[in-house]
Amino acid sequence: MAYEQLIVDVEDDVAVLRMNNPARLNALSPTMTVELLEALASAGDDPGIRAIVLSGEGRGFSAGADLSALREPYLKGERPKPSLFLNAAINGVVAGAGNSVALACDYRIASEAATFTMAFVKIGLIPDAGSCYLLPRTVGLARALELALFSDKVDAQTALRIGLINRVVPGEDLMAEVMDLAHRLAALPTTAVALTKRTFTEASRLSLTQTMDREAEVQDEAAATHDHLEGVLAFLEKRQPIFTGK
Ligand code: T3D
């Protein structure tokens, strides 16, 4: 499907989504937001897609809400609520809800050129699109508040040090590293991957005992998959497993 502000490529079982409005550092316009949601849903529904990479064209990953889209309605006195709402290949500038999009991804690799600024409070907003949930959980409350309140620009090495991202690579190596990782993820037993992600999230609001009960329930689900059987057989037969997500 052709999009206006999004480029979608599929390489084997990996879908690569590139936000494509480089003149505005891939700010999240209403068009881009709708297209992103559509493309993510479509990749999510496709059993042939086992990992998704999200990146941006040009020198920006995403500059957050497209402020130019707010000008006309704001001047008319209307207040449309900006509405929004994976591997993130963070190619460059990240601001506002661009951080939320990156944080919603499961693994973040950034180019050495990437920079991060929360930017919300600077224009009288609060972090949204999931940042209030994801940022403190990712970097801790003290750092999250510091990043949110001051909006100081953080470079890629600092982002790595504070745990905002997983890895930094030279810009020219970014997509090769990301695709290598995406293919590794795509080869994993995807049901176990999904259940791990879901249970980690649930555990953040449960006690240890409740978490262990929940682990036991979810483990029954994982243990009933064909991929679990395949993993055990492959180990015993001293071969690489072939996982299908079933
Ligand atoms: O829907 C939801 O629920 C989501 C809601 C989200 C809320 C938010 O995301 S609030 C935060 C919104 N974002 C910002 O406030 C960031 C604004 N941008 C900046 O502060 C800076 O542009 C950057 C720090 C990101 C990058 O600075 P720099 O110097 O590298 O680039 P620049 O020259 O400022 O920007 C390049 C162009 O992109 C420029 O256009 P021009 O002058 O060349 O025609 C600039 O206006 C445009 N641009 C950058 N960010 C945005 C934008 N255009 C529209 N919306 C933007 N957010």
Side-chain angles (χ1 to χ4, degrees), residues 23-25 27 59 63-68 82-84 93 95-97 117 119-120 123 125 128 153:
R24 290 197 178 137
L25 302 177
R59 71 178 182 89
D66 186 342
L67 300 181
S68 62
S83 64
L84 184 73
V93 175
T117 168
F120 299 91
I123 56 166
L125 293 179
D128 74 350
K153 208 179 259 187

Side-chain angles (χ1 to χ4, degrees), residues 16-79:
V16 181
L17 277 48
R18 274 174 298 152
M19 294 174 274
N20 186 27
N21 188 0
R24 290 197 178 137
L25 302 177
N26 303 316
L28 296 162
S29 66
T31 301
M32 189 182 295
T33 303
V34 167
E35 291 186 352
L36 256 180
L37 289 174
E38 265 181 35
L40 287 169
S42 157
D45 287 345
D46 183 344
I49 300 295
R50 294 167 61 84
I52 300 172
V53 171
L54 183 60
S55 192
E57 281 290 283
R59 71 178 182 89
F61 175 73
S62 171
D66 186 342
L67 300 181
S68 62
L70 300 178
R71 185 183 165 81
E72 288 302 315
Y74 275 20
L75 289 178
K76 282 193 223 149
E78 298 164 9
R79 288 301 179 98

Side-chain angles (χ1 to χ4, degrees), residues 3 13 22 26 28 30 40-41 87 101 143 151 170 186 195 198 213 229 232 239:
Y3 294 107
D13 46 12
N26 303 316
L28 296 162
L40 287 169
N87 286 331
V101 172
R143 283 202 197 284
S151 293
L195 292 175
R198 192 194 306 162
D213 288 345
L229 176 65
V232 173
R239 61 172 172 82

